[in-house]
Amino acid sequence: MHCRNWKKKRQWAQWVKRPEETFAREVRRIDLSYFEQRKQEIADELWQAAVEIGFFQVSNHGIALDDIRQAFSMTEDFFSLPETVKARYPLARNAGWENKSQVRPSTKTPDQKESYQITRPLMDSLWPTEQELPAFKQTMLSFESQCWQLGIKLLSCFALKLGFPEHFFEQAHNPDRNTYQSTLRMLHYYATEQSEQGMWRAGAHTDFDSA
């Protein structure tokens, strides 16, 4: 009995050490400069990173740093609104605001975050007014459009690697259709104390999005 316990402890120690191996894996940065001229090379790099690592970053993607900073500033302004104001725009399907409403099966506790999701066809009555947040709608739609364009470029690379027509994924991501489901999700993770056992900003989960 003692030996079996020792073996279990040894196996547990070996198992605990395994996640350390993942820390050494590089989240690769894919350079998108000269995209059209280098498209096959970029597609190969994206595919390799997706298959071997599962994550990647992109650089020289064409979205100006000032636009990114403005979008993040607007996001901060939105989450700084009084909760009574944000509550006027509740999450419905895949658009609007929610607060600590997502409970992961992995933790069985609410994620310690709030989010506001922008999905173009679903945004009726879900935009803050100009009085509440001037230029918010215009700024965020512009940023969403830039993110969409970048996403389509990346998806065209995966289409090539999968043997599909280059513009295959655009059919499912057409912003002019009512079925358009591309979402710009703004997130605010709450500060938590280490002493708050069992509280997670976002519990372990999988994502279903295409990009």
Side-chain angles (χ1 to χ4, degrees):
M1 183 70 176
H2 177 75
C3 290
R4 284 200 295 269
N5 285 340
W6 179 83
K7 287 180 181 178
K8 287 180 180 178
K9 289 178 182 177
R10 186 178 178 185
Q11 290 170 354
W12 170 250
Q14 291 174 342
W15 182 86
V16 168
K17 290 180 179 178
R18 286 175 189 161
E20 294 178 7
E21 299 172 5
T22 65
F23 298 155
R25 291 195 297 179
E26 176 190 8
V27 178
R28 297 169 193 170
R29 181 178 296 178
I30 313 298
D31 182 4
L32 302 186
S33 59
Y34 303 103
F35 182 81
E36 292 302 330
Q37 297 92 320
R38 298 177 51 243
K39 188 163 189 175
Q40 188 60 58
E41 175 190 350
I42 291 170
D44 291 342
E45 292 180 5
L46 288 169
W47 183 263
Q48 189 174 22
V51 169
E52 295 179 1
I53 306 297
F55 293 91
F56 56 82
Q57 305 173 68
V58 294
S59 61
N60 297 311
H61 43 66
I63 303 179
L65 182 57
D66 284 347
D67 292 343
I68 296 172
R69 286 174 173 163
Q70 185 181 28
F72 271 80
S73 178
M74 277 287 185
T75 297
E76 186 175 358
D77 289 344
F78 174 84
F79 288 128
S80 296
L81 290 171
E83 191 163 319
T84 53
V85 174
K86 292 180 287 188
R88 297 171 188 164
Y89 313 106
L91 183 69
R93 290 185 289 174
N94 208 30
W97 176 75
E98 61 81 24
N99 182 42
K100 298 183 181 180
S101 67
Q102 192 165 20
V103 178
R104 309 281 185 183
S106 60
T107 62
K108 298 181 175 60
T109 60
D111 283 354
Q112 298 301 291
K113 70 176 188 299
E114 60 179 327
S115 71
Y116 179 77
Q117 299 178 199
I118 298 172
T119 306
R120 286 178 178 260
L122 306 177
M123 294 304 295
D124 288 347
S125 304
L126 291 177
W127 291 107
T129 66
E130 281 294 303
Q131 292 73 29
E132 292 165 342
L133 207 54
F136 177 78
K137 178 178 179 179
Q138 175 185 350
T139 299
M140 300 313 293
L141 280 178
S142 175
F143 186 66
E144 188 270 352
S145 179
Q146 291 186 79
C147 292
W148 173 83
Q149 293 174 52
L150 173 58
I152 289 298
K153 289 171 70 172
L154 297 176
L155 286 174
S156 72
C157 290
F158 284 103
L160 290 176
K161 296 300 294 184
L162 290 166
F164 296 154
E166 186 174 348
H167 302 290
F168 175 82
F169 288 108
E170 289 186 35
Q171 303 171 49
H173 299 279
N174 186 341
D176 295 326
R177 293 182 178 177
N178 290 332
T179 55
Y180 179 71
Q181 279 292 311
S182 293
T183 297
L184 179 63
R185 192 181 192 198
M186 301 152 49
L187 289 164
H188 173 213
Y189 294 95
Y190 296 118
T192 57
E193 297 295 332
Q194 289 184 343
S195 60
E196 295 182 66
Q197 296 296 324
M199 304 305 289
W200 297 79
R201 291 186 176 96
H205 63 281
T206 58
D207 288 319
F208 59 88
D209 311 277
S210 53

